[in-house]
Amino acid sequence: MKGKAPQQDDNAVRLDKWLWAARFYKTRALAREMIEGGKVHYNGQRGKPSKLVEVNAEIKLRQGNDEKTVIVLDVTDQRRSADQAQLLYQETETSVANREKISQARKTNSLTMPHPDRRPDKKERRTLIKFKYSDSE
């Protein structure tokens, strides 16, 4: 018949929908945006939102400062609780180790460069601007 889409498997789920169901991103639109922005790689290649997810596929994605590599254990298009969503994938050991290492580096960096207790007032801001843009010749 003309005009009808081909039948898909019951297990066939789009990448953007799976990322949303697995609770990596809050909305499908955000998941789609991240995929199109090159933040998500499916089996080592840049993914497309319409890519069908398969079991045992490797997905590399970015969430804020964290980069995760996960293996797909199950495929679903329904968003459930966080506990059930974590059963859909398993993060690789190297990914966990890298995230821990980067997290530790961020913590030590924040200790060496503490933030001031308050924002500079108007006079201090003007002094900072003069210092920043003065010619040091």
Side-chain angles (χ1 to χ4, degrees):
M1 280 190 248
K2 286 186 176 179
K4 286 204 172 188
Q7 288 288 332
Q8 293 183 358
D9 298 340
D10 291 337
N11 265 355
V13 177
R14 292 169 50 107
L15 180 58
D16 60 346
K17 200 167 195 177
W18 186 85
L19 289 169
W20 167 76
R23 293 185 171 263
F24 286 110
Y25 301 109
K26 201 168 188 175
T27 62
R28 272 187 69 187
L30 183 59
R32 180 183 188 90
E33 203 175 287
M34 291 297 173
I35 295 167
E36 289 173 347
K39 306 284 192 262
V40 178
H41 291 254
Y42 184 85
N43 284 336
Q45 296 181 352
R46 191 170 167 171
K48 290 185 176 180
S50 61
K51 176 73 176 164
L52 297 180
V53 177
E54 300 167 346
V55 175
N56 293 327
E58 182 182 89
I59 298 176
K60 190 174 188 178
L61 57 103
R62 256 189 122 60
Q63 284 184 300
N65 293 327
D66 294 333
E67 191 169 298
K68 294 181 181 180
T69 304
V70 297
I71 305 295
V72 178
L73 300 178
D74 195 13
V75 178
T76 185
D77 63 348
Q78 295 180 342
R79 189 174 171 103
R80 296 202 174 106
S81 70
D83 295 335
Q84 291 177 343
Q86 288 178 347
L87 300 175
L88 297 177
Y89 63 90
Q90 179 180 3
E91 190 172 2
T92 62
E93 292 177 17
T94 55
S95 174
V96 173
N98 285 342
R99 280 194 313 116
E100 289 294 324
K101 188 170 71 173
I102 291 170
S103 173
Q104 190 64 32
R106 271 198 313 261
K107 286 178 186 175
T108 56
N109 189 27
S110 68
L111 293 175
T112 60
M113 299 182 70
H115 291 284
D117 295 333
R118 61 179 180 76
R119 293 178 58 181
D121 60 20
K122 192 170 187 174
K123 184 177 180 182
E124 292 168 336
R125 278 196 310 271
R126 286 181 176 162
T127 306
L128 285 170
I129 290 169
K130 281 181 187 176
F131 177 74
K132 188 174 180 181
Y133 295 112
S134 67
D135 292 333
S136 58
E137 293 175 22

